[in-house]
């Protein structure tokens, strides 16, 4: 025979259906003849109903599913690693493969020329004649007008919204202003400094714009949470620093695109394309 | 060429399987993450990171087993790892469980008062107080309540998710519920829902069922 205190103490486990069968029978026997314990169990039942009401059915925000799906896209892309990628010449990286510190003027020129040739459509790239090459593939897909906004944002060089451009200040500035956490990227190359940030609209969507200074030249990075799906499909792809970097050409600007942690990062800047791609390849989010 | 397309279809199948098995649990995972982190933005980050991990380790998921429990376990581990990285690690997770919980908090009048709180206003009041009391629990206890009361997981499944023995789940849930009830009764008295009355219950005895069985065997 179970005692009252035992039944009351384990009323929760009894209701969870986690007693062993023998003990459960004993509990039920006891409860049949004990009004006080019945009351305790009834209370536990009512209490659980209250907890159920209080906690409610939680639904994940729709944007979360979107972010997860984008993550999966990114993970798959990283997984594939096709061998058909073009390796780019890196203007910032140390001379790993050509002898430390012995960069002759000739070898730099040769590398630069090779890089330009490798970038398919080099004539178009040299001419800087605006929409051409990779760009034409993306027109009308919804992605390119978004990229035009990014380029416009960069070329208009609007002032920064934050007084001091520290990583934490900038991250905090965007809290509550955009629907996703903005973590300024860090770059493992050259001399790249965060110099400002601005809340902007890209295709009617709130986006975070971050301004960087790369060896004296302006670079703008735009962070978005849900880009149009067509963004990547027409983009060119290169391999730099072991990362795949996608980019598109818009109005003479190269716009590299990266995805990390479900967010999309669009870059553009006053640098030459190889330098910009290398810079973007070296970018990472510091946690 | 054929090899390449086979590889491609493998990847496509993997992705399809993952989306079919894992994505339907997003609400459950988010709810659990919300209990752990308490902040919606942190919960979203946690689920996002966990889903990416789950996708990477998808090959280690045994088809036919409980995908929800498997995913919940990844969420929990990711949460613990983050805390560990941050600073004072697992103590955050275990600490409050060690606190003793008094048994005799509930008088019969109090129980009746709470059980019969039928008006809409009373219920809303109680719901708010339960939420407030949840905040005070340890993350692990909030998670256990969520998994047991909302997700309907068994003790064994919860133990597997949290990474602790089944006995710890039982005592953890017991303590968590008693702590909620204790808070609730104090508030109910304050709001005049129930009259204050000295408790009649006493005598601490073992909480674990093993002890209970042992005691029973000793008696018989």
């Amino acid at each position: 025979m179970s005692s009252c205190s035992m039944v009351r103490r384990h009323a929760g486990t009894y209701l969870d259906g986690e007693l062993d069968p023998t003990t459960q029978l004993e509990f039920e026997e006891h409860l049949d003849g004990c009004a006080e314990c019945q009351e305790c169990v009834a209370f536990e039942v009512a209490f659980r109903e209250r907890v159920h009401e209080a906690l409610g059915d939680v639904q994940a925000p729709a944007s979360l599913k979107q972010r997860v799906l984008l993550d999966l896209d990114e993970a798959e892309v990283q997984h594939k690693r096709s061998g058909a990628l073009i390796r780019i010449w890196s203007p910032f990286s140390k001379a790993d493969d050509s002898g430390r510190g012995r960069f002759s003027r000739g070898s730099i020129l040769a590398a630069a020329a090779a890089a330009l040739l490798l970038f398919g459509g080099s004539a178009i790239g040299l001419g800087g004649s605006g929409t051409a090459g990779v760009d034409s593939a993306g027109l009308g897909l919804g992605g390119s007008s978004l990229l035009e906004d990014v380029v416009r944002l960069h070329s208009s060089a609007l002032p920064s919204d934050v007084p001091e451009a520290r990583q934490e200040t900038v991250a905090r500035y965007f809290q509550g202003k955009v629907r996703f956490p903005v973590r300024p990227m860090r770059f493992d190359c050259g001399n790249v400094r965060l110099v400002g940030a601005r809340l902007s609209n890209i295709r009617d969507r709130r986006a975070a714009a971050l301004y960087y200074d790369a060896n004296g030249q302006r670079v703008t990075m735009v962070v978005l949470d849900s880009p149009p799906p067509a963004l990547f499909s027409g983009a060119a792809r290169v391999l730099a620093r072991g990362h795949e970097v996608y980019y598109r050409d818009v109005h003479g600007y190269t716009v590299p695109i990266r995805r990390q942690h479900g967010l999309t990062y669009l870059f553009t800047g006053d640098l030459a394309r190889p330098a910009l791609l290398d810079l973007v390849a070296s970018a990472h989010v510091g946690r | 060429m054929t090899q390449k397309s086979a590889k491609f279809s493998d990847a496509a199948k993997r992705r399809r399987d993952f989306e079919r098995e894992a994505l339907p649990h997003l609400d459950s995972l988010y709810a659990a993450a919300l209990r752990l982190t308490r902040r919606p933005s942190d919960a979203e980050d946690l689920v996002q990171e966990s889903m990416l991990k789950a996708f990477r380790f998808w090959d280690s998921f045994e088809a036919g087993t409980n995908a929800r429990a498997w995913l919940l376990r990844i969420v929990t581990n990711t949460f613990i790892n983050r805390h560990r990285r941050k600073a004072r690690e697992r103590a955050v997770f275990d600490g409050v469980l060690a606190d003793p919980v008094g048994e005799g908090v509930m008088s019969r009048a109090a129980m009746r008062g709470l059980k019969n709180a039928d008006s809409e206003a009373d219920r809303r009041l109680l719901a708010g107080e339960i939420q407030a009391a949840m905040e005070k629990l340890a993350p692990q206890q909030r998670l256990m309540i969520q998994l047991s009361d909302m997700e309907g997981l068994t003790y064994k499944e919860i133990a597997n998710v949290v990474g602790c023995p089944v006995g710890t789940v039982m005592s953890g849930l017991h303590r968590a519920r008693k702590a909620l009830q204790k808070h609730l009764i104090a508030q109910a008295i304050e709001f005049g829902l129930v009259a204050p009355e000295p408790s009649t219950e006493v005598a601490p005895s073992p909480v674990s069922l093993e002890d209970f069985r042992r005691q029973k065997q000793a008696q018989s």
Side-chain angles (χ1 to χ4, degrees):
Chain A
M1 191 69 179
S2 318
S3 71
C4 287
S5 75
M6 206 49 85
V7 169
R8 282 175 214 182
R9 192 174 293 267
H10 293 287
T13 311
Y14 166 69
L15 284 173
D16 286 332
E18 297 274 351
L19 290 177
D20 62 281
T22 325
T23 316
Q24 187 177 328
L25 276 177
E26 281 181 5
F27 269 46
E28 280 163 4
E29 252 170 52
H30 176 93
L31 282 168
D32 277 344
C34 181
E36 280 188 36
C37 282
Q38 275 173 26
E39 195 167 35
C40 283
V41 170
F43 167 76
E44 288 287 338
V45 172
F47 168 72
R48 278 169 198 217
E49 280 167 11
R50 291 296 110 80
V51 170
H52 216 274
E53 277 169 17
L55 299 186
D57 284 329
V58 177
Q59 274 195 331
S63 61
L64 177 61
K65 186 174 177 184
Q66 218 47 47
R67 280 164 67 183
V68 168
L69 286 173
L70 288 172
D71 265 3
L72 301 187
D73 289 346
E74 194 187 344
E76 280 188 323
V77 166
Q78 284 176 1
H79 205 69
K80 277 179 202 159
R81 282 276 148 95
S82 127
L85 291 172
I86 306 161
R87 196 168 300 277
I88 73 161
W89 169 70
S90 163
F92 288 121
S93 60
K94 296 280 180 286
D96 299 322
D97 39 11
S98 53
R100 194 163 300 162
R102 286 199 292 137
F103 253 118
S104 72
R105 190 182 156 82
S107 70
I108 290 179
L109 283 176
L116 283 173
L117 283 172
L118 280 172
F119 276 122
S122 57
I124 297 159
L126 286 169
S129 59
T131 58
V134 185
D135 197 11
S136 56
L139 278 179
L141 286 173
S144 63
S145 51
L146 181 145
L147 299 185
E148 279 167 11
D149 279 1
V150 172
V151 166
R152 207 170 299 128
L153 177 73
H154 174 76
S155 52
S156 56
L158 295 165
S160 168
D161 287 339
V162 291
E164 49 162 4
R166 283 176 34 232
Q167 305 263 343
E168 313 82 60
T169 324
V170 168
R172 212 174 313 126
Y173 169 71
F174 286 113
Q175 268 174 26
K177 295 191 177 69
V178 291
R179 293 184 306 169
F180 47 87
V182 176
R183 301 187 183 94
M185 287 260 188
R186 294 172 197 274
F187 300 89
D188 289 340
C189 75
N191 181 21
V192 185
R193 286 183 303 123
L194 182 64
V195 292
R198 188 181 173 85
L199 185 66
S200 37
N201 284 313
I202 301 288
R203 291 291 98 179
D204 307 329
R205 263 181 295 211
R206 286 273 183 92
L210 281 75
Y211 299 154
Y212 291 89
D213 176 297
N215 294 322
Q217 287 177 298
R218 290 197 310 118
V219 172
T220 301
M221 177 180 92
V222 173
V223 194
L224 291 171
D225 60 344
S226 48
L231 196 59
F232 277 81
S233 56
R237 185 171 63 155
V238 293
L239 186 69
R241 293 173 179 256
H243 290 285
E244 289 182 4
V245 179
Y246 288 78
Y247 69 93
R248 285 178 171 229
D249 285 325
V250 184
H251 300 320
Y253 282 97
T254 297
V255 184
I257 311 163
R258 282 200 53 188
R259 262 182 200 159
Q260 236 178 338
H261 304 306
L263 296 176
T264 301
Y265 297 83
L266 301 154
F267 300 80
T268 198
D270 301 341
L271 306 171
R273 185 192 283 161
L276 184 62
L277 290 171
D278 183 60
L279 182 141
V280 169
S282 82
H284 59 91
V285 178
R287 271 203 189 270
Chain B
M1 198 62 197
T2 46
Q3 208 177 359
K4 200 173 181 182
S5 65
K7 204 175 173 186
F8 175 76
S9 71
D10 271 2
K13 183 183 178 301
R14 187 171 184 270
R15 170 76 182 256
R16 251 197 337 269
D17 286 353
F18 183 79
E19 288 195 14
R20 193 188 57 233
E21 295 280 340
L23 280 185
H25 301 301
L26 214 55
D27 286 344
S28 292
L29 302 181
Y30 177 69
L34 204 53
R35 299 292 164 238
L36 286 169
T37 63
R38 285 182 291 178
R39 281 178 40 173
S41 62
D42 289 346
E44 282 194 51
D45 280 2
L46 177 57
V47 172
Q48 197 184 346
E49 193 180 335
S50 305
M51 285 296 268
L52 187 58
K53 270 190 202 163
F55 185 56
R56 295 211 168 110
F57 293 109
W58 182 236
D59 299 329
S60 70
F61 171 72
E62 287 173 46
T65 60
N66 188 345
R68 187 176 46 148
W70 184 75
L71 292 163
L72 283 166
R73 182 171 190 169
I74 294 176
V75 169
T76 309
N77 285 341
T78 308
F79 174 80
I80 295 171
N81 285 337
R82 274 190 183 186
H83 267 269
R84 191 171 285 164
R85 223 181 301 150
K86 268 185 197 163
R88 269 156 295 117
E89 53 207 73
R90 225 184 152 108
V92 180
F93 220 65
D94 290 339
V96 186
L97 283 185
D99 290 351
V101 116
E103 197 64 29
V105 286
M106 205 54 66
S107 71
R108 293 182 67 192
M111 285 196 297
R112 261 178 239 143
L114 279 185
K115 193 160 83 66
N116 301 330
D118 276 336
S119 82
E120 187 60 30
D122 287 351
R123 281 180 180 230
R124 218 174 305 132
L125 195 73
L126 288 179
E129 288 306 329
I130 287 172
Q131 278 158 2
M134 281 286 279
E135 296 273 307
K136 292 186 193 163
L137 297 179
Q140 187 180 11
Q141 288 179 306
R142 289 196 297 267
L143 181 66
M144 285 178 179
I145 292 272
Q146 174 72 24
L147 297 181
S148 177
D149 288 356
M150 307 303 286
E151 297 291 334
L153 262 54
T154 65
Y155 286 5
K156 203 177 160 201
E157 286 170 324
I158 297 173
N160 198 21
V161 168
V162 178
C164 67
V166 174
T168 308
V169 174
M170 187 161 62
S171 58
L173 273 172
H174 178 81
R175 285 168 197 281
R177 285 176 180 143
K178 289 298 161 210
L180 290 182
Q181 289 171 5
K182 191 175 172 183
H183 175 92
L184 217 50
I185 205 72
Q187 294 305 309
I189 289 171
E190 196 166 302
F191 291 121
L193 275 177
V194 302
E197 187 192 310
S199 167
T200 49
E201 237 181 297
V202 275
S205 43
V207 171
S208 93
L209 260 188
E210 284 75 27
D211 291 347
F212 170 59
R213 286 190 202 108
R214 233 173 282 132
Q215 197 171 307
K216 253 187 355 163
Q217 273 165 5
Q219 279 166 6
S220 59

